[in-house]
Amino acid sequence: MELNVDFIDAFTNTHFKGNSAAIIITDDWLTDELMQSIATENNLSETAFLVADSASPTSPTKRTRHFSIRWFSPITEIAFCGHATLASAFVLFKQDPNLHTIVFVAKAVGELSVSQTDSGLVQMDFPNTKPEKITSIPTDLSNGLSIKPIEVYKNQQAYFVVYPSESNVNNVLRDNEVLKKLAPLDVVVTAQSASDDYDFISRYFWPANGGDEDPVTGSIHTGLAPLWSEKLGKKTLVAYQASARGGVLHCEIKSNRVLISGNAVHYLKGVINLA
């Protein structure tokens, strides 16, 4: 068996920045074991697997297509991944320049609509997952970070640690073995940006689900964007994820939805040989 694969750098317009994802499109689902083995071998933040939905409604102009999508980290299947969704849409838009909208269907989050903006960004329409403030901070969260959390929020994906300064976000150290004890939740640290170019910055640690530090995390911004929208009184925000690779995310709050947009670049096209 041979499988075509594309490696995409998402949330960047520069090679070797942003977050990398592998995209594999098949006619039928591979086994869970095989998809996990491929994702482990790829050793990227995520590998996305897509299957065209032949039973979905057909657009009269054929400018809308439906795909089922699943995401795998090197460790486990992930319920929701933004950067690999962007990368998947980027591949599909490149394959069909007449394609206008892609509807991805995922078990955990339902339907996700993705389109291209007039400026060329890939724009994803996600559920709003605004976190709620908690008063009891888990001991493992306090012990796992070198700068103690004071203001903490939580949603179904992660603990959100809001620091008073950008330097806190850039300089905080973590103990992955301690943070693993927070599973299945991950940890994001964030602060208002000191730069006029961005509204807020963040870093995302996920030792329980993917590895060490995720380069750029689209899904967590469905919580970060509404959190900072409320704090800053803005509906449209620009975010920077301050990992070693770095990435830029354009966010817009629309009621119970969050629009997240970004660039992407194609790094590699290849064939996986499973003969």
Side-chain angles (χ1 to χ4, degrees), residues 148-222:
K148 299 302 180 185
I150 298 174
E151 186 179 2
V152 178
Y153 298 74
K154 176 185 175 184
N155 68 6
Q156 69 271 25
Q157 182 177 356
Y159 290 100
F160 293 65
V161 176
V162 180
Y163 282 133
S165 72
E166 180 175 313
S167 63
N168 292 149
V169 173
N170 288 327
N171 295 324
V172 67
L173 304 175
R174 71 273 181 195
D175 185 328
N176 284 339
E177 293 306 311
V178 175
L179 294 183
K180 275 184 182 180
K181 298 176 184 178
L182 298 170
L185 298 184
D186 298 313
V187 177
V188 60
V189 295
T190 185
Q192 185 173 354
S193 177
S195 167
D196 292 336
D197 294 331
Y198 312 111
D199 293 292
F200 65 92
I201 71 165
S202 67
R203 292 170 66 194
Y204 187 76
F205 311 133
W206 64 325
N209 292 294
D212 187 13
E213 178 174 353
D214 197 38
V216 191
T217 317
S219 60
I220 202 63
H221 283 77
T222 65

Side-chain angles (χ1 to χ4, degrees), residues 104-180:
F104 290 113
V105 181
K107 182 178 179 180
V109 292
E111 291 191 352
L112 306 171
S113 179
V114 184
S115 59
Q116 285 186 301
T117 68
D118 292 339
S119 62
L121 297 178
V122 176
Q123 184 178 81
M124 302 172 288
D125 185 342
F126 289 146
N128 184 320
T129 65
K130 182 177 177 291
E132 299 297 328
K133 192 169 186 177
I134 63 173
T135 55
S136 180
I137 300 173
T139 301
D140 291 326
L141 182 59
S142 294
N143 292 342
L145 298 172
S146 63
I147 301 174
K148 299 302 180 185
I150 298 174
E151 186 179 2
V152 178
Y153 298 74
K154 176 185 175 184
N155 68 6
Q156 69 271 25
Q157 182 177 356
Y159 290 100
F160 293 65
V161 176
V162 180
Y163 282 133
S165 72
E166 180 175 313
S167 63
N168 292 149
V169 173
N170 288 327
N171 295 324
V172 67
L173 304 175
R174 71 273 181 195
D175 185 328
N176 284 339
E177 293 306 311
V178 175
L179 294 183
K180 275 184 182 180

Side-chain angles (χ1 to χ4, degrees), residues 11-275:
F11 292 118
T12 182
N13 54 12
T14 305
H15 284 110
F16 314 119
K17 296 293 184 180
N19 201 354
S20 297
I23 310 304
I24 297 172
I25 305 171
T26 55
D27 295 329
D28 299 292
W29 287 115
L30 306 174
T31 66
D32 290 5
E33 293 76 15
L34 181 54
M35 287 190 285
Q36 185 60 70
S37 294
I38 291 171
T40 302
E41 184 79 5
N42 287 341
N43 200 31
L44 301 175
S45 294
E46 265 83 25
T47 296
F49 295 88
L50 283 63
V51 173
D53 188 351
S54 58
S56 64
T58 302
S59 168
T61 60
K62 296 184 178 179
R63 298 187 68 198
T64 300
R65 295 188 67 190
H66 292 66
F67 289 83
S68 294
I69 186 169
R70 294 174 69 180
W71 308 277
F72 287 77
S73 81
I75 295 175
T76 187
E77 183 171 7
I78 300 298
F80 176 31
C81 177
H83 89 274
T85 302
L86 186 154
S88 299
F90 178 82
V91 170
L92 293 168
F93 285 135
K94 288 295 184 183
Q95 289 180 353
D96 184 359
N98 294 318
L99 188 60
H100 179 268
T101 302
I102 301 163
V103 179
F104 290 113
V105 181
K107 182 178 179 180
V109 292
E111 291 191 352
L112 306 171
S113 179
V114 184
S115 59
Q116 285 186 301
T117 68
D118 292 339
S119 62
L121 297 178
V122 176
Q123 184 178 81
M124 302 172 288
D125 185 342
F126 289 146
N128 184 320
T129 65
K130 182 177 177 291
E132 299 297 328
K133 192 169 186 177
I134 63 173
T135 55
S136 180
I137 300 173
T139 301
D140 291 326
L141 182 59
S142 294
N143 292 342
L145 298 172
S146 63
I147 301 174
K148 299 302 180 185
I150 298 174
E151 186 179 2
V152 178
Y153 298 74
K154 176 185 175 184
N155 68 6
Q156 69 271 25
Q157 182 177 356
Y159 290 100
F160 293 65
V161 176
V162 180
Y163 282 133
S165 72
E166 180 175 313
S167 63
N168 292 149
V169 173
N170 288 327
N171 295 324
V172 67
L173 304 175
R174 71 273 181 195
D175 185 328
N176 284 339
E177 293 306 311
V178 175
L179 294 183
K180 275 184 182 180
K181 298 176 184 178
L182 298 170
L185 298 184
D186 298 313
V187 177
V188 60
V189 295
T190 185
Q192 185 173 354
S193 177
S195 167
D196 292 336
D197 294 331
Y198 312 111
D199 293 292
F200 65 92
I201 71 165
S202 67
R203 292 170 66 194
Y204 187 76
F205 311 133
W206 64 325
N209 292 294
D212 187 13
E213 178 174 353
D214 197 38
V216 191
T217 317
S219 60
I220 202 63
H221 283 77
T222 65
L224 283 168
L227 175 63
W228 282 107
S229 173
E230 184 176 274
K231 286 180 173 293
L232 300 177
K234 302 176 67 174
K235 293 293 185 181
T236 302
L237 307 102
V238 181
Y240 181 70
Q241 192 156 333
S243 67
R245 291 175 63 99
V248 178
L249 306 93
H250 300 263
C251 309
E252 183 177 354
I253 311 303
K254 288 198 169 182
S255 186
N256 65 338
R257 309 295 295 181
V258 178
L259 303 182
I260 298 179
S261 307
N263 287 300
V265 291
H266 203 151
Y267 171 67
L268 179 150
K269 178 180 288 291
V271 176
I272 297 173
N273 190 340
L274 299 174

